[in-house]
Amino acid sequence: MTNTQQVGGRTLHAPARINASKKKEPDVTPAFPDEIAHLDDIKGKLDDAIKQANDSVEQLDKEYTDAKRYMVQYRGEIDPHEMFQNELALRRIDSRGAFAVEIRDKLAKLLESPYFARIDFRQASKQIPATFYIGRFAFRHAKELLISDWRSPVASLFYDCEVGPAGYDAPAGRIDGELTRKRQFKIKNGEMEYALESSVNIQDDILQRELSHTSDEKMKTIIATIQKEQNLIIRNEKAATLIIQGVAGSGKTAIALHRIAYLLYRFKDSLSAKNVTILSPNKVFGDYISNVLPEMGEEPVYGMSFVDIAEVQLEGIIHFEPDKDPFETNDPKWAERVRFKSTLKFIKLMNEYLARMPESIFEPSDYTLGRFSAKSEWIQSRFAAYHKYPVKRRLQMIADDIHDRLATDNFMEESLPKARTILKSLTAMLEVKNTLVLYKDFYKQMNIADKFVMPAKKTLEWADVYPFMYFHAAFEGLQESQVIRHLVIDEMQDYTPVQYAVMNILFKCRKTVLGDFGQFINPNHLNTLGDLRQLYEGAEFVELNKSYRSTYEIITFTKRIQNVASLEAAPRHGKAPDLIYCRNEREELAQIMEKIDAFQASENVTLGIILKTNGMAKSLYDVLSRNYEVHLISPASTTFVNGISITSIQMSKGLEFDEVIIPAANNKTYSSEYDRNLLYIACTRAMHRLSLTYNGERTRLI
């Protein structure tokens, strides 16, 4: 059976089904006639606001069309000054029109689900409590605030406090008082599906409902189910660098995105979507999380990968090959090189070399031009004075200094060389001409020449790309970002210390760094959480230990594979995972197909079939695609879609599925301690159902 031999925040954000047999539904009360009436009133006011917004859009569209027609019709008769004024007016109309469309679209989204909570809060200095409805956007009508944005200071009462003494931090200072009422709603398509009166367990009840839903094609917002500990992270304004260590399914990515949404709201005058970027592991994951910020009314932020950054920084300088799959590359020497370059010790070696590099490769001599001269000692002193800059940048600055001196002393107004001509003379004083020569010399001088191999001319192995960039930063300089003011780095455990060192050079800004060092994917990476905390000394560090993605039964099962002591399961129950023994590969394939048929007959919308390697995933895809509509998620993929996905453990990270099937859960495929980690990652992708199939001896890791 050649084609099958290789068969190898929940993030709090799902859309429909509750396991009622495990937990009694909280009372759903249509007996809140005041809330039904209030919803009808709000919908009426939203309808009015949408009509006004539509009128505004249409009016601005007409103004734009009329102005454009006038400019075209009388182009030959309008003088340049009037044409310029008309063009400015056109831009203003266009800008106002875009803003009007944005307002209209937000109102339309609010009409579908205006708010999800109500709080009544009485300030200590007042007798009567004020009522606040909380939604994803604020809504004012006739100058009255009817809905508060979930990011507003008063909304923190909903997330942080129960009925009783309460308070919140406002721009004007601390406001204390009493929370007298707390209600939560589910409004869909403008209709109230349920309303719950306040109790200590109100959010647990809502959480149960939301977590029991089936998954969606894109990650959704979690604003209705943000937990208190998550709210503290989201509203953290002070941390220059925040490190979030969160177990599988703890919602850390959703929390990071909501933190960005909060910061965009809080600092709207100084921070916009264009000032934020997200480093994610692959394009599929980037697509999966792409809707979260737009759902909250924010512009989507730019996402990229470490490969994208390297391509930009090294364009025209040097080539590099893609990273190899460690499970499909039988090259012990290559693996050893990768391991060596994944440690803090490697950075220390580079730093030792680079600390003495500038003086060792630059031997200045006198620069003379007729009666003008710059002595070597002076050039050396300027070179040392500019020690904070890359070597070649220093030479440029010295060339400018020499040019300025020559110009100052040029009383006879003689012809002087340009700064770039002086720079050529200074560059000739360098013993090393480019970064590659320097990088090679590092390995030679440190007696580790065997740790550097080039697969082709002017081509680096992936493990050398960021060390090379680190050297390039010291020798020539990198293109440092002047735009990005907040960097989010997801799947932090997958990146090496030198990659972080380069990020700190490129992005001198605030950072949110998140991941789970219990989900290591590369067996050749030796870096630890301790290494990361050492690199970001002084960073705020938080841990998230509760998993919301998987049922209690699935989490309990995963602890049989990897006993993560801190891992807690949310109290949501479901069917125990299936361990299915098969006599041979043909029977195993039949069992997988039987599970697929059952999935297609169910209400679930996503099924992930997760194999150990990309090659194994491709082999099974080739077989199953003959009979089923299946999607292969490979390193070349760019989107995540509902239905049946076949993928590797590497590509499944960060994703979640209603159901997961893990083929080849035998002792041949999963045998080492590192395989234990991989199997744990695969199992924790499952939200509601988990099945493992195997033939031969079942893996001893369970």
Side-chain angles (χ1 to χ4, degrees):
M1 189 170 143
T2 56
N3 280 326
T4 58
Q5 284 176 350
Q6 297 184 62
V7 173
R10 149 138 223 125
T11 47
L12 321 187
H13 59 258
R17 211 174 57 234
I18 306 210
N19 192 331
S21 64
K22 295 293 183 180
K23 178 176 173 66
K24 184 182 177 182
E25 292 274 0
D27 290 334
V28 179
T29 310
F32 285 135
D34 58 327
E35 297 296 358
I36 299 298
H38 180 78
L39 177 59
D40 288 340
D41 180 56
I42 290 292
K43 284 161 55 179
K45 289 173 178 175
L46 280 167
D47 280 331
D48 290 343
I50 290 171
K51 183 180 183 303
Q52 291 177 24
N54 269 324
D55 291 344
S56 178
V57 170
E58 290 173 6
Q59 177 61 32
L60 287 166
D61 186 54
K62 183 178 184 302
E63 286 182 29
Y64 185 89
T65 302
D66 290 345
K68 190 75 173 176
R69 185 185 297 114
Y70 174 81
M71 290 172 65
V72 172
Q73 188 173 353
Y74 297 101
R75 176 171 294 277
E77 303 173 27
I78 301 175
D79 64 61
H81 177 72
E82 185 183 352
M83 180 61 75
F84 176 71
Q85 293 300 322
N86 286 337
E87 287 175 351
L88 287 180
L90 206 61
R91 290 177 193 171
R92 284 195 294 269
I93 295 170
D94 190 43
S95 178
R96 289 165 55 207
F99 182 72
V101 168
E102 182 182 340
I103 294 296
R104 181 191 64 187
D105 291 347
K106 281 187 176 182
L107 291 170
K109 287 181 179 179
L110 275 182
L111 189 60
E112 293 175 10
S113 182
Y115 46 82
F116 58 86
R118 167 187 169 174
I119 52 173
D120 292 5
F121 178 69
R122 180 178 58 79
Q123 291 187 33
S125 60
K126 297 183 179 179
Q127 296 295 319
I128 301 174
T131 296
F132 301 91
Y133 284 86
I134 301 167
R136 56 177 148 174
F137 315 126
F139 172 54
R140 289 181 179 274
H141 189 266
K143 298 184 179 180
E144 181 185 4
L145 180 65
L146 299 177
I147 301 173
S148 296
D149 192 294
W150 70 274
R151 296 164 291 187
S152 63
V154 73
S156 65
L157 289 168
F158 170 72
Y159 297 114
D160 295 340
C161 305
E162 300 300 334
V163 170
Y168 65 96
D169 294 315
R174 180 73 179 177
I175 297 178
D176 289 308
E178 181 185 7
L179 191 63
T180 61
R181 170 163 286 164
K182 187 174 177 181
R183 286 178 177 173
Q184 192 157 359
F185 316 101
K186 178 65 176 289
I187 301 171
K188 188 174 181 180
N189 298 325
E191 299 299 323
M192 188 172 292
E193 293 192 352
Y194 57 74
L196 300 177
E197 188 62 79
S198 171
S199 71
V200 173
N201 296 319
I202 181 172
Q203 284 202 292
D204 288 341
D205 294 335
I206 297 295
L207 192 57
Q208 287 265 10
R209 291 169 170 273
E210 296 304 312
L211 298 185
S212 298
H213 290 166
T214 53
S215 67
D216 215 325
E217 196 166 290
K218 297 284 192 294
M219 182 181 282
K220 298 294 185 182
T221 68
I222 61 170
I223 56 175
T225 53
I226 292 171
Q227 305 297 286
K228 184 174 182 178
E229 69 275 13
Q230 297 171 332
N231 193 47
L232 290 173
I233 298 171
I234 290 168
R235 292 175 185 258
N236 185 329
E237 302 174 9
K238 297 179 180 178
T241 298
L242 179 64
I243 298 175
I244 306 172
Q245 160 61 36
V247 297
S250 58
K252 51 191 174 290
T253 299
I255 291 167
L257 292 171
H258 284 66
R259 181 174 188 236
I260 293 302
Y262 173 78
L263 294 174
L264 290 171
Y265 170 87
R266 180 70 178 82
F267 301 104
K268 58 173 68 75
D269 293 333
S270 59
L271 188 72
S272 67
K274 69 179 181 181
N275 303 132
V276 181
T277 195
I278 299 175
L279 271 173
S280 56
N282 54 65
K283 288 182 170 59
V284 173
F285 183 70
D287 176 64
Y288 180 61
I289 66 175
S290 62
N291 276 5
V292 176
L293 287 169
E295 272 199 358
M296 292 182 280
E298 300 295 345
E299 293 291 321
V301 301
Y302 179 64
M304 56 185 176
S305 67
F306 278 86
V307 172
D308 295 332
I309 291 173
E311 287 175 344
V312 170
Q313 295 290 336
L314 299 181
E315 184 179 9
I317 297 169
I318 198 166
H319 305 293
F320 59 87
E321 66 176 13
D323 197 10
K324 298 177 183 177
D325 189 330
F327 306 109
E328 297 180 339
T329 304
N330 185 22
D331 185 346
K333 290 185 177 179
W334 166 80
E336 177 56 33
R337 292 194 296 274
V338 175
R339 284 194 288 271
F340 176 73
K341 294 163 190 174
S342 72
T343 62
L344 269 181
K345 178 183 176 183
F346 181 57
I347 287 188
K348 291 174 182 176
L349 283 176
M350 290 192 293
N351 286 339
E352 286 176 19
Y353 177 88
L354 292 173
R356 58 179 184 266
M357 175 270 295
E359 282 66 32
S360 68
I361 68 170
F362 182 60
E363 294 186 7
S365 55
D366 294 349
Y367 177 82
T368 304
L369 176 71
R371 66 184 181 85
F372 301 108
S373 69
K375 295 295 184 182
S376 62
E377 295 82 2
W378 181 85
I379 294 174
Q380 181 63 55
S381 70
R382 301 311 299 156
F383 187 77
Y386 295 135
H387 66 277
K388 292 183 178 179
Y389 297 92
V391 168
K392 287 200 169 182
R393 175 65 179 139
R394 296 194 212 183
L395 299 186
Q396 177 66 64
M397 297 167 80
I398 295 169
D400 293 338
D401 290 345
I402 293 175
H403 183 270
D404 291 343
R405 282 188 62 185
L406 296 179
T408 301
D409 296 341
N410 188 18
F411 303 112
M412 305 299 291
E413 296 187 358
E414 300 174 48
S415 178
L416 297 177
K418 294 183 178 179
R420 64 173 175 266
T421 303
I422 301 171
L423 178 60
K424 286 182 180 179
S425 297
L426 294 175
T427 303
M429 300 175 193
L430 282 174
E431 292 186 2
V432 173
K433 303 306 179 186
N434 60 56
T435 305
L436 183 58
V437 173
L438 191 70
Y439 191 57
K440 288 179 178 178
D441 184 66
F442 159 70
Y443 287 94
K444 179 181 177 182
Q445 295 298 327
M446 293 296 180
N447 296 314
I448 50 174
D450 62 316
K451 296 295 190 290
F452 180 60
V453 173
M454 297 185 73
K457 185 178 180 181
K458 289 199 71 177
T459 302
L460 298 172
E461 290 184 329
W462 174 251
D464 283 306
V465 170
Y466 275 80
F468 180 91
M469 288 169 65
Y470 196 61
F471 271 69
H472 198 65
F475 186 62
E476 289 197 36
L478 296 171
Q479 302 172 46
E480 298 180 21
S481 174
Q482 305 301 318
V483 175
I484 301 305
R485 296 176 192 160
H486 199 108
L487 178 68
V488 179
I489 304 178
D490 205 351
E491 300 294 346
M492 64 186 181
Q493 70 281 357
D494 290 344
Y495 313 125
T496 62
V498 68
Q499 288 179 303
Y500 283 105
V502 172
M503 289 303 101
N504 293 339
I505 294 170
L506 295 176
F507 302 98
K508 294 179 173 66
C509 62
R510 293 176 177 267
K511 297 177 179 70
T512 302
V513 185
L514 60 139
D516 179 14
F517 272 84
Q519 296 185 64
F520 243 112
I521 198 69
N522 194 324
N524 297 322
H525 284 183
L526 305 180
N527 49 306
T528 65
L529 178 58
D531 293 340
L532 182 65
R533 297 189 69 176
Q534 191 172 329
L535 282 166
Y536 290 105
E537 189 175 359
E540 285 196 39
F541 176 76
V542 294
E543 287 188 89
L544 298 170
N545 295 320
K546 181 174 283 189
S547 177
Y548 298 97
R549 174 186 296 139
S550 308
T551 62
Y552 178 87
E553 287 74 17
I554 292 173
I555 292 298
T556 302
F557 176 80
T558 62
K559 282 190 155 189
R560 291 170 54 189
I561 299 168
Q562 183 159 288
N563 189 20
V564 181
S566 60
L567 177 61
E568 303 171 32
R572 179 174 67 87
H573 292 273
K575 189 175 183 296
D578 292 327
L579 277 167
I580 304 171
Y581 167 72
C582 307
R583 289 170 295 181
N584 51 48
E585 291 166 350
R586 178 171 295 182
E587 186 174 308
E588 184 171 1
L589 180 61
Q591 286 288 345
I592 292 170
M593 295 171 75
E594 188 175 312
K595 288 288 181 183
I596 292 174
D597 292 338
F599 161 76
Q600 291 182 324
S602 74
E603 296 178 18
N604 290 334
V605 295
T606 57
L607 167 65
I609 305 176
I610 304 176
L611 295 104
K612 184 175 180 180
T613 70
N614 289 310
M616 295 163 79
K618 178 63 165 62
S619 295
L620 184 58
Y621 169 80
D622 290 340
V623 173
L624 291 178
S625 60
R626 299 170 189 166
N627 300 304
Y628 297 96
E629 183 179 342
V630 292
H631 311 283
L632 177 66
I633 301 178
S634 72
S637 302
T638 58
T639 57
F640 179 84
V641 296
N642 287 345
I644 304 164
S645 297
I646 303 175
T647 190
S648 64
I649 295 172
Q650 171 200 357
M651 294 302 300
S652 73
K653 290 187 66 177
L655 305 179
E656 60 188 21
F657 304 90
D658 291 322
E659 300 183 29
V660 165
I661 300 171
I662 302 174
N666 54 47
N667 209 46
K668 179 180 178 183
T669 307
Y670 298 100
S671 58
S672 70
E673 281 304 300
Y674 186 75
D675 291 335
R676 182 186 302 280
N677 195 51
L678 296 179
L679 196 56
Y680 168 79
I681 293 170
C683 290
T684 54
R685 301 307 95 199
M687 291 163 51
H688 308 305
R689 297 288 300 273
L690 172 64
S691 302
L692 296 88
T693 65
Y694 66 97
N695 69 84
E697 182 184 358
R698 191 181 80 189
T699 174
R700 290 190 291 269
L701 300 178
I702 300 175

